[in-house]
Amino acid sequence: MPEEITTLLTFFGGTGDLAKRKLYPSTYNLFKKGFLQEHFAIVGASRQEMSNDEFRQMVLASLDGFIDDQANAEEFISHFYYIKQDITDKASYAEMLDLDNELDAKYGLKGNRIFYMSVAPRFFGTIAKYLKSEGLITENGEYNRLMIEKPFGSSYKTAEELQKELTEAFDDDQIYRIDHYLGKEMVQNIAPLRFGNPLIDAAWNKDYIENVQVTLSEVLGVEERAGYYDTAGALRDMIQNHTMQIIGWLAMEKPTDFSDKAVRAAKNTAFNALKIYSNDEVAENFVRGQYGESADGSQRKYLDEPDVPAGSQNNTFVAGKLQFDTPRWEGVPFYIRSGKRLAAKATRVDIVFKKSANIFGQGGEKLVNPVLSILIDPVGRVELTVNAKNVTDTFQTRPIELDWQVSEADKAVTPEPYERMIHDCMDGNGSNFADWNGVAVAWKFVDAIQDAWDKTPATFPNYVSGSMGPKESDELLAKDGNEWVFKG
Ligand code: NAD
């Protein structure tokens, strides 16, 4: 049995979609694995009227497919308590405090508290304020932590306001900003692949790397989400958060150890050296797109999707070049792209290494840039393309691929990102959460791009649904003599 975690976990938005689909099954897995045993209680808070019993039945139903022992599931849900609350009503927090104190005594929770805000972002600041003012943050606990869902602001200004509201109640190191990409198995594999192998670690710099590519491509269109998506676009929906957080693991310096403090410091050295573009530089280094119909006309263009405003200038595709002004990365472009209605669903990193000088004469004409590809979704896979000998009568090289793929057995035991994130927060490990400095830099970077785009209307649509985006995306790399490794 692992060491038991003692905690009182409160889910604001306890009847919501995320809680039912992800948070309860994840917490149940922690119980099944023995991280949660006896000294824990879970409070769900929401607007609906509901008894503890009804709430427990709702939680039980959400565990469908995860239960292999009914008695064990019944034991788990007996630790759940419900409180009807209007988040904006200060008085409701007094009632919550009474419940928390009662549960603390009943289960011996040592004042340890985690507050998970699984609600609309407009409530984040209010919850933090009342948790503090109404005394729910304990003085005697080993810890009080706040888990916060995305999005963290919609610009640098709004993010900074939110950060200010949160830090009036919690210290920055008590705040766990969720980016579920950081909970993905293969994103967490970047650090050991890089720092666990001196031959890779030693080559992780401008002397050996030609360029770095990060692709987050989706096949689906906007579906029913236009209300939100039309105000965010690919830039805010995918680049500011997930893409930048993956970039953090790639561009970071080598941390002194693997503690969250050291990891964050190493990432921030890179983030703080990210070049923020002027309007002219945005035009040179960034490309936007909006999808049109598919070639066979079976898929409609973005502008014809439900709830998309007429003439929308929203970006459904972004490609760009990032530059880090550090000795490690001088002159090395980091290319990123993300979009909807692309040719393939993929989240992947391609590290393009420099090409060898050809000592083989004609036999070396097929030498290629070695590439290390880390495939994150939909399959977990590592591919290393290197040069080797071809089987021919006269000497000739050819590229070969060395690869490894996450096995079905590994997949079966891989924790869901939400399970990992809740577990990490319980352990007080912030390595796989977005820290404020990284979030702030990402917003400043993205705001500069949005600002330039707001000033110059684009001609949309400019890419065919089912392609890999507008031709300008390929041209962006071609200008530097490079090309996308992943072609869809
Ligand atoms: P949801 O609309 O399904 O649930 C919202 C919850 O908030 C409900 O329990 C509701 O009762 C409660 N609530 C609303 N107003 C309230 C009030 N005034 N007082 C008390 N409770 C109130 O939302 P969701 O999909 O579960 O999303 C929650 C958060 O998670 C959002 O920030 C969202 O951006 C984020 N998120 C959701 C998903 C997902 O897959 N659903 C994925 C990533 C992030």
Side-chain angles (χ1 to χ4, degrees):
M1 258 313 197
E3 198 179 324
E4 183 187 11
I5 293 166
T6 298
T7 198
L8 171 57
L9 181 54
T10 301
F11 289 114
F12 291 92
T15 59
D17 171 68
L18 184 69
K20 287 190 276 198
R21 276 193 315 108
K22 300 285 184 190
L23 307 180
Y24 299 146
S26 296
T27 320
Y28 181 47
N29 279 340
L30 294 175
F31 179 72
K32 285 203 287 189
K33 292 176 184 176
F35 295 109
L36 297 175
Q37 296 174 18
E38 287 169 29
H39 299 95
F40 79 97
I42 297 179
V43 172
S46 261
R47 266 181 314 194
Q48 287 88 328
E49 193 74 62
M50 214 183 252
S51 66
N52 278 341
D53 216 37
E54 286 165 330
F55 179 53
R56 287 172 189 166
Q57 290 312 311
M58 188 205 84
V59 174
L60 191 62
S62 76
L63 305 180
D64 192 29
F66 295 88
I67 300 172
D68 29 48
D69 175 349
Q70 193 65 26
N72 164 281
E74 298 282 348
E75 165 64 18
F76 175 65
I77 61 163
S78 74
H79 289 254
F80 278 70
Y81 295 81
Y82 184 73
I83 184 158
K84 177 183 182 301
Q85 178 199 43
D86 178 352
I87 287 168
T88 58
D89 174 19
K90 190 174 162 183
S92 69
Y93 292 78
E95 207 183 317
M96 188 181 259
L97 177 62
D98 288 343
L99 176 62
D100 283 7
N101 288 341
E102 191 188 311
L103 296 176
D104 210 308
K106 177 168 178 179
Y107 291 99
L109 303 179
K110 299 183 182 164
N112 298 347
R113 291 187 185 166
I114 295 176
F115 304 98
Y116 192 123
M117 304 199 282
S118 180
V119 291
R122 67 179 184 285
F123 292 130
F124 295 162
T126 310
I127 294 175
K129 180 173 79 180
Y130 289 145
L131 287 176
K132 166 97 172 165
S133 72
E134 303 315 295
L136 281 99
I137 304 172
T138 56
E139 299 291 331
N140 62 338
E142 286 164 15
Y143 60 79
N144 284 270
R145 298 182 184 131
L146 187 69
M147 294 186 78
I148 173 163
E149 264 301 332
K150 67 162 195 174
F152 199 96
S154 55
S155 63
Y156 175 67
K157 188 169 170 287
T158 53
E160 194 187 29
E161 281 161 15
L162 174 58
Q163 172 69 1
K164 190 164 172 291
E165 286 178 307
L166 299 182
T167 49
E168 276 166 13
F170 290 85
D171 292 340
D172 192 50
D173 63 5
Q174 295 176 306
I175 302 171
Y176 290 72
R177 291 173 206 78
I178 289 171
D179 188 313
H180 70 279
Y181 274 63
L182 290 176
K184 287 179 186 273
E185 176 67 18
M186 291 304 292
V187 173
Q188 297 195 354
N189 223 330
I190 295 172
L193 281 169
R194 180 178 163 190
F195 302 119
N197 299 295
L199 89 165
I200 297 178
D201 188 20
W204 207 267
N205 56 54
K206 66 175 190 306
D207 296 334
Y208 294 94
I209 292 181
E210 183 89 40
N211 66 80
V212 175
Q213 305 182 8
V214 179
T215 299
L216 284 76
S217 65
E218 298 173 85
V219 170
L220 291 178
V222 68
E223 308 289 292
E224 310 304 320
R225 291 174 69 224
Y228 153 75
Y229 190 76
D230 199 72
T231 64
L235 186 63
R236 294 193 185 104
D237 190 47
M238 298 298 282
I239 302 292
Q240 188 277 336
N241 40 35
H242 312 315
T243 312
M244 294 302 282
Q245 290 301 323
I246 295 173
I247 290 279
W249 279 116
L250 299 170
M252 72 194 284
E253 287 301 305
K254 186 173 185 169
T256 47
D257 57 51
F258 210 48
S259 66
D260 56 358
K261 277 200 172 54
V263 166
R264 285 176 169 192
K267 284 184 184 174
N268 282 330
T269 306
F271 281 134
N272 293 338
L274 177 66
K275 187 170 162 59
I276 309 285
Y277 291 137
S278 66
N279 287 349
D280 286 348
E281 287 166 336
V282 170
E284 247 171 70
N285 294 298
F286 264 80
V287 168
R288 60 186 147 161
Q290 186 186 84
Y291 60 81
E293 279 186 1
S294 57
D296 63 4
S298 66
Q299 289 182 306
R300 60 185 162 212
K301 60 178 186 281
Y302 178 74
L303 290 171
D304 288 346
E305 299 277 25
D307 304 325
V308 170
S312 169
Q313 278 282 306
N314 191 31
N315 57 84
T316 63
F317 177 93
V318 174
K321 174 161 117 179
L322 277 60
Q323 298 168 65
F324 293 94
D325 187 14
T326 59
R328 179 184 293 276
W329 294 124
E330 196 189 335
V332 180
F334 280 63
Y335 301 113
I336 57 174
R337 72 183 153 164
S338 181
K340 290 194 183 293
R341 280 280 185 78
L342 300 182
K345 177 174 169 56
T347 303
R348 60 184 283 152
V349 170
D350 296 286
I351 311 289
V352 180
F353 289 93
K354 295 205 163 159
K355 205 163 155 175
S356 166
N358 180 10
I359 61 161
F360 306 113
Q362 273 188 351
E365 278 169 1
K366 299 218 166 96
L367 282 173
V368 299
N369 291 85
V371 178
L372 172 66
S373 299
I374 303 170
L375 281 61
I376 297 161
D377 281 329
V379 287
R381 194 176 160 90
V382 180
E383 297 171 353
L384 181 63
T385 304
V386 294
N387 295 288
K389 186 184 165 300
N390 200 358
V391 187
T392 42
D393 292 331
T394 53
F395 181 90
Q396 232 176 51
T397 66
R398 66 172 165 183
I400 59 166
E401 203 175 82
L402 315 175
D403 61 60
W404 167 87
Q405 185 161 320
V406 175
S407 67
E408 289 303 316
D410 275 351
K411 240 192 279 178
V413 295
T414 302
E416 272 271 316
Y418 277 93
E419 178 185 331
R420 255 193 252 260
M421 293 183 299
I422 293 171
H423 193 177
D424 279 355
C425 178
M426 288 172 171
D427 278 345
N429 177 2
S431 292
N432 292 306
F433 293 86
D435 92 323
W436 166 241
N437 184 68
V439 170
V441 170
W443 273 126
K444 286 178 187 167
F445 183 72
V446 156
D447 281 355
I449 297 162
Q450 190 65 52
D451 178 64
W453 287 353
D454 286 345
K455 291 175 183 159
T456 48
T459 310
F460 285 154
N462 64 346
Y463 71 97
V464 176
S465 280
S467 69
M468 277 310 279
K471 65 178 185 347
E472 288 81 1
S473 163
D474 293 331
E475 288 166 5
L476 178 74
L477 275 67
K479 275 195 295 194
D480 298 336
N482 295 321
E483 61 179 313
W484 291 109
V485 172
F486 180 61
K487 298 186 169 37

XYZ file of all heavy atoms in Angstrom, residues 12-22 45-48 82 85-88 116-124 149-151 180 418, ligand 1:
324
model
N -15.677 22.861 -6.282
C -16.691 23.835 -6.697
C -17.108 23.425 -8.112
O -16.256 23.101 -8.935
C -16.099 25.254 -6.704
C -15.787 25.754 -5.323
C -14.532 25.575 -4.768
C -16.766 26.381 -4.566
C -14.247 26.005 -3.484
C -16.502 26.825 -3.279
C -15.240 26.634 -2.736
N -18.415 23.466 -8.389
C -18.886 22.938 -9.679
C -19.030 21.429 -9.588
O -18.804 20.710 -10.557
N -19.419 20.946 -8.411
C -19.448 19.514 -8.116
C -20.491 18.713 -8.874
O -20.455 17.485 -8.840
N -21.429 19.382 -9.552
C -22.398 18.627 -10.365
C -22.128 18.830 -11.853
O -22.918 18.421 -12.695
C -23.846 19.091 -10.069
O -23.930 20.497 -10.367
C -24.224 18.848 -8.623
N -21.018 19.464 -12.172
C -20.729 19.826 -13.564
C -20.202 18.668 -14.397
O -19.883 17.585 -13.883
N -20.105 18.938 -15.678
C -19.654 17.939 -16.650
C -18.232 17.448 -16.345
O -17.957 16.248 -16.334
C -19.723 18.604 -18.041
C -19.088 17.761 -19.111
O -19.646 16.699 -19.401
O -18.021 18.153 -19.640
N -17.338 18.378 -16.073
C -15.938 17.995 -15.835
C -15.813 17.125 -14.580
O -15.094 16.131 -14.569
C -15.064 19.253 -15.700
C -13.576 18.979 -15.557
C -12.989 18.430 -16.849
C -12.808 20.231 -15.137
N -16.546 17.520 -13.540
C -16.487 16.759 -12.286
C -16.920 15.320 -12.543
O -16.242 14.372 -12.127
C -17.381 17.415 -11.232
N -18.025 15.162 -13.258
C -18.565 13.815 -13.467
C -17.700 12.989 -14.423
O -17.478 11.809 -14.210
C -19.999 13.904 -13.986
C -20.967 14.351 -12.878
C -22.413 14.213 -13.272
C -22.874 15.405 -14.044
N -24.301 15.585 -14.116
N -17.221 13.626 -15.474
C -16.468 12.862 -16.485
C -15.046 12.550 -16.058
O -14.492 11.511 -16.400
C -16.457 13.613 -17.820
C -17.691 13.358 -18.668
C -17.539 13.831 -20.087
N -16.948 15.156 -20.179
C -15.723 15.414 -20.597
N -14.943 14.437 -20.993
N -15.284 16.651 -20.645
N -14.418 13.520 -15.365
C -12.978 13.373 -15.097
C -12.620 13.354 -13.613
O -11.804 12.540 -13.180
C -12.199 14.539 -15.752
C -12.352 14.630 -17.257
C -11.556 13.565 -17.948
C -11.612 13.709 -19.460
N -11.055 12.575 -20.143
N -19.713 21.223 -4.176
C -20.541 22.421 -4.000
C -21.097 22.841 -5.355
O -20.356 22.853 -6.343
C -19.700 23.547 -3.401
N -22.373 23.160 -5.365
C -23.038 23.555 -6.618
C -24.351 24.251 -6.320
O -24.802 24.232 -5.179
C -23.364 22.304 -7.440
O -22.412 22.117 -8.413
N -24.952 24.761 -7.372
C -26.211 25.488 -7.208
C -27.409 24.598 -6.900
O -28.348 25.024 -6.257
C -26.532 26.230 -8.514
C -26.052 27.641 -8.535
C -26.426 28.272 -9.825
N -26.119 27.394 -10.960
C -26.099 27.783 -12.214
N -26.370 29.027 -12.505
N -25.818 26.956 -13.190
N -27.368 23.376 -7.423
C -28.556 22.510 -7.325
C -28.880 22.106 -5.889
O -27.999 21.992 -5.056
C -28.352 21.209 -8.133
C -28.426 21.399 -9.620
C -27.064 21.752 -10.219
O -26.243 22.408 -9.581
N -26.849 21.353 -11.455
N -22.290 16.885 0.231
C -22.768 17.891 -0.713
C -23.195 19.164 0.006
O -23.760 19.114 1.104
C -23.961 17.346 -1.501
C -24.414 18.324 -2.567
C -23.665 18.520 -3.715
C -25.573 19.083 -2.385
C -24.060 19.445 -4.673
C -25.968 20.002 -3.348
C -25.208 20.173 -4.477
O -25.584 21.096 -5.422
N -24.826 25.740 -2.851
C -24.181 27.024 -2.624
C -24.316 27.919 -3.841
O -24.246 27.445 -4.984
C -22.675 26.771 -2.387
C -21.891 28.024 -2.176
C -20.399 27.842 -2.398
O -19.961 27.194 -3.343
N -19.616 28.452 -1.536
N -24.506 29.223 -3.569
C -24.315 30.180 -4.659
C -22.936 30.789 -4.408
O -22.703 31.421 -3.374
C -25.411 31.258 -4.632
C -25.200 32.285 -5.732
O -24.135 32.242 -6.403
O -26.070 33.138 -5.916
N -22.054 30.578 -5.367
C -20.658 31.024 -5.206
C -20.557 32.498 -4.827
O -19.666 32.912 -4.088
C -19.890 30.773 -6.532
C -19.637 29.278 -6.691
C -18.580 31.550 -6.586
C -19.152 28.875 -8.071
N -21.507 33.282 -5.331
C -21.422 34.734 -5.113
C -22.024 35.142 -3.774
O -22.007 36.323 -3.420
C -22.144 35.485 -6.255
O -23.508 35.017 -6.278
C -21.500 35.215 -7.597
N -10.809 22.915 -5.453
C -10.720 22.751 -6.900
C -11.842 23.557 -7.541
O -13.017 23.298 -7.292
C -10.867 21.266 -7.255
C -10.506 20.914 -8.675
C -9.528 19.969 -8.951
C -11.147 21.524 -9.757
C -9.191 19.638 -10.263
C -10.813 21.201 -11.061
C -9.842 20.260 -11.304
O -9.511 19.948 -12.603
N -11.475 24.521 -8.385
C -12.479 25.403 -8.988
C -12.860 24.897 -10.375
O -12.264 25.302 -11.374
C -11.936 26.823 -9.057
C -11.506 27.326 -7.684
S -11.376 29.095 -7.581
C -9.842 29.376 -8.385
N -13.865 24.010 -10.408
C -14.330 23.465 -11.686
C -15.600 24.209 -12.109
O -16.667 23.619 -12.251
C -14.599 21.967 -11.526
O -15.052 21.435 -12.735
N -15.453 25.502 -12.230
C -16.592 26.376 -12.547
C -16.159 27.382 -13.626
O -14.975 27.448 -13.971
C -17.057 27.166 -11.300
C -17.687 26.238 -10.283
C -15.904 27.937 -10.688
N -17.109 28.172 -14.082
C -16.798 29.179 -15.098
C -15.736 30.145 -14.561
O -15.748 30.494 -13.371
C -18.064 29.931 -15.467
N -14.815 30.563 -15.437
C -13.699 31.400 -14.987
C -14.106 32.691 -14.273
O -13.361 33.178 -13.433
C -12.976 31.737 -16.302
C -13.364 30.662 -17.245
C -14.719 30.187 -16.844
N -15.317 33.202 -14.566
C -15.690 34.467 -13.918
C -15.825 34.291 -12.400
O -15.861 35.272 -11.657
C -16.975 35.029 -14.517
C -18.214 34.219 -14.252
C -19.462 34.881 -14.863
N -20.673 34.166 -14.537
C -21.058 33.013 -15.084
N -20.318 32.450 -16.015
N -22.184 32.437 -14.716
N -15.899 33.051 -11.924
C -16.063 32.808 -10.486
C -14.735 32.615 -9.750
O -14.719 32.562 -8.520
C -16.904 31.551 -10.257
C -18.347 31.688 -10.674
C -18.945 30.727 -11.482
C -19.114 32.763 -10.238
C -20.275 30.832 -11.849
C -20.451 32.879 -10.602
C -21.041 31.915 -11.415
N -13.638 32.446 -10.473
C -12.372 32.076 -9.815
C -11.996 33.066 -8.702
O -11.665 32.675 -7.584
C -11.211 31.986 -10.825
C -11.336 30.880 -11.866
C -10.573 30.930 -13.027
C -12.196 29.809 -11.685
C -10.663 29.928 -13.995
C -12.297 28.801 -12.643
C -11.533 28.861 -13.804
N -9.022 25.721 -12.964
C -9.253 25.271 -14.333
C -8.879 26.372 -15.327
O -8.697 27.527 -14.965
C -10.729 24.890 -14.508
C -11.015 23.413 -14.337
C -10.230 22.549 -15.326
O -9.897 23.024 -16.418
O -9.946 21.386 -14.977
N -8.799 25.989 -16.581
C -8.549 26.991 -17.610
C -9.871 27.618 -18.042
O -10.919 27.008 -17.804
C -7.831 26.351 -18.784
C -8.700 25.331 -19.527
C -8.171 25.034 -20.887
C -9.219 24.334 -21.686
N -8.959 24.080 -23.039
N -9.883 28.726 -18.707
C -8.707 29.516 -19.063
C -8.280 30.480 -17.950
O -9.116 30.943 -17.192
C -9.204 30.307 -20.279
C -10.674 30.464 -20.072
C -11.126 29.258 -19.315
N -4.088 20.505 -18.854
C -4.100 19.038 -18.828
C -3.094 18.425 -19.806
O -2.748 17.261 -19.677
C -5.505 18.483 -19.042
C -6.048 18.672 -20.412
N -6.611 19.850 -20.832
C -6.091 17.844 -21.474
C -6.972 19.728 -22.087
N -6.673 18.521 -22.507
N -6.023 14.039 -15.468
C -6.665 14.614 -14.273
C -6.289 13.857 -13.003
O -6.135 14.455 -11.934
C -8.179 14.696 -14.450
C -8.553 15.947 -15.216
C -8.702 15.938 -16.590
C -8.704 17.168 -14.549
C -9.004 17.092 -17.293
C -9.007 18.325 -15.235
C -9.158 18.284 -16.612
O -9.444 19.436 -17.284
P -20.584 22.875 -16.263
O -21.378 24.007 -16.800
O -20.950 21.500 -16.657
O -20.664 22.906 -14.678
C -20.586 24.098 -13.960
C -20.806 23.813 -12.479
O -20.778 25.068 -11.805
C -22.138 23.162 -12.126
O -21.908 22.245 -11.074
C -22.985 24.332 -11.620
O -23.974 23.963 -10.699
C -21.925 25.172 -10.959
N -22.308 26.581 -10.847
C -22.598 27.449 -11.842
N -22.914 28.655 -11.331
C -22.838 28.545 -9.975
C -23.036 29.440 -8.905
N -23.398 30.713 -9.088
N -22.856 28.962 -7.650
C -22.480 27.674 -7.439
N -22.252 26.800 -8.419
C -22.439 27.220 -9.672
O -19.061 23.212 -16.560
P -17.828 22.194 -16.786
O -17.842 21.739 -18.181
O -17.838 21.179 -15.715
O -16.569 23.154 -16.664
C -16.090 23.635 -15.417
C -14.752 24.323 -15.624
O -13.828 23.406 -16.170
C -14.762 25.517 -16.580
O -13.827 26.465 -16.122
C -14.259 24.923 -17.886
O -13.616 25.902 -18.671
C -13.273 23.905 -17.370
N -13.026 22.787 -18.271
C -14.010 21.909 -18.604
C -13.734 20.834 -19.428
C -14.780 19.812 -19.776
O -14.413 18.848 -20.463
N -16.018 19.950 -19.373
C -12.444 20.645 -19.923
C -11.441 21.547 -19.565
C -11.761 22.598 -18.738
